[in-house]
Structures are given as structure tokens and as C-alpha cells.
Amino acid sequence: MSKKVLYQTVADKGTPEDILRNGPYQCIMNPWLGSGYYFWDTYLPLAHWWGKQGYRGQYVITRIDFDYNPDDVFDLVGNTEHIQQFKEYAELSKKLFERSFYSWTHH
């Protein structure tokens, strides 16, 4: 098991009790890697950046002390194999999208 400090940026709806009781939250706003829980790993300024960008400054940041098995986490920060897999997936997705868009526009 490994330990990390994670931060989750969420919309500030004026209900801190709800955040404490029900967080962390599954991403519903632009889940670019699909359904799941999105966190900022260790570096708090990135969580603030997302709050300013994604929530127009109306945000709250929660801190989670996380014990995890590294084999169960897709790590795009510290695992170079995962970063490479992601790059390959992105390139494949781009090619598939371009091919399907081309065939759709040239019928």
C-alpha cells in the first residue's frame, strides 16, 4: 500500500456539511477520461487552478489522505508506463475519430 494526499475541486453550493458527508464526488462535469473520481495529486495550486477555470471561482477544495494499491490506479503523473499508455490511447482515438469523421463527411 502507498499513501498520497489528493485534492478534489468541487462546486461551492454553500453546503459544507453535504461535502463532508457525501464526498468525494464522481465527476459529472467534462469527465474526459470517462466516468470516475478525479483528483489533483499532491500539488494544491492545480486544484485552485481548476476551481478558477472550471467553476469560475465558485469552488471548494477537499483534501483526502489516500491509502491505495498502485496496481489499481491509472497514474498520469508519476507512472511513465501509464503516461505512455495514455499517449497511445490518445493517438488511436484521434485516428479513429478522424477516420469516422472522414467517412461521415464523404458519403
Side-chain angles (χ1 to χ4, degrees):
M1 293 296 270
S2 294
K3 293 182 183 245
K4 282 214 178 259
V5 173
L6 302 176
Y7 300 101
Q8 187 176 51
T9 309
V10 298
D12 183 0
K13 296 181 180 176
T15 55
E17 297 83 14
D18 181 62
I19 293 170
L20 288 172
R21 186 174 37 257
N22 298 312
Y25 292 98
Q26 187 169 1
C27 181
I28 58 172
M29 188 177 95
N30 192 21
W32 59 281
L33 280 176
S35 179
Y37 295 82
Y38 288 67
F39 300 96
W40 296 101
D41 181 352
T42 309
Y43 193 61
L44 182 58
L46 287 175
H48 283 290
W49 171 82
W50 180 243
K52 292 171 188 167
Q53 300 299 313
Y55 293 104
R56 298 184 179 142
Q58 301 297 312
Y59 66 97
V60 174
I61 296 174
T62 61
R63 175 191 163 130
I64 297 117
D65 295 313
F66 183 56
D67 293 327
Y68 70 101
N69 179 344
D71 294 333
D72 294 336
V73 175
F74 194 60
D75 180 359
L76 293 177
V77 175
N79 186 317
T80 54
E81 288 179 28
H82 289 175
I83 294 167
Q84 185 61 38
Q85 287 175 353
F86 179 74
K87 289 172 97 176
E88 291 169 5
Y89 171 75
E91 285 300 315
L92 177 62
S93 296
K94 182 179 174 183
K95 288 176 185 174
L96 291 172
F97 176 76
E98 287 172 348
R99 189 177 319 139
S100 65
F101 182 75
Y102 178 81
S103 66
W104 179 73
T105 58
H106 290 84
H107 271 78

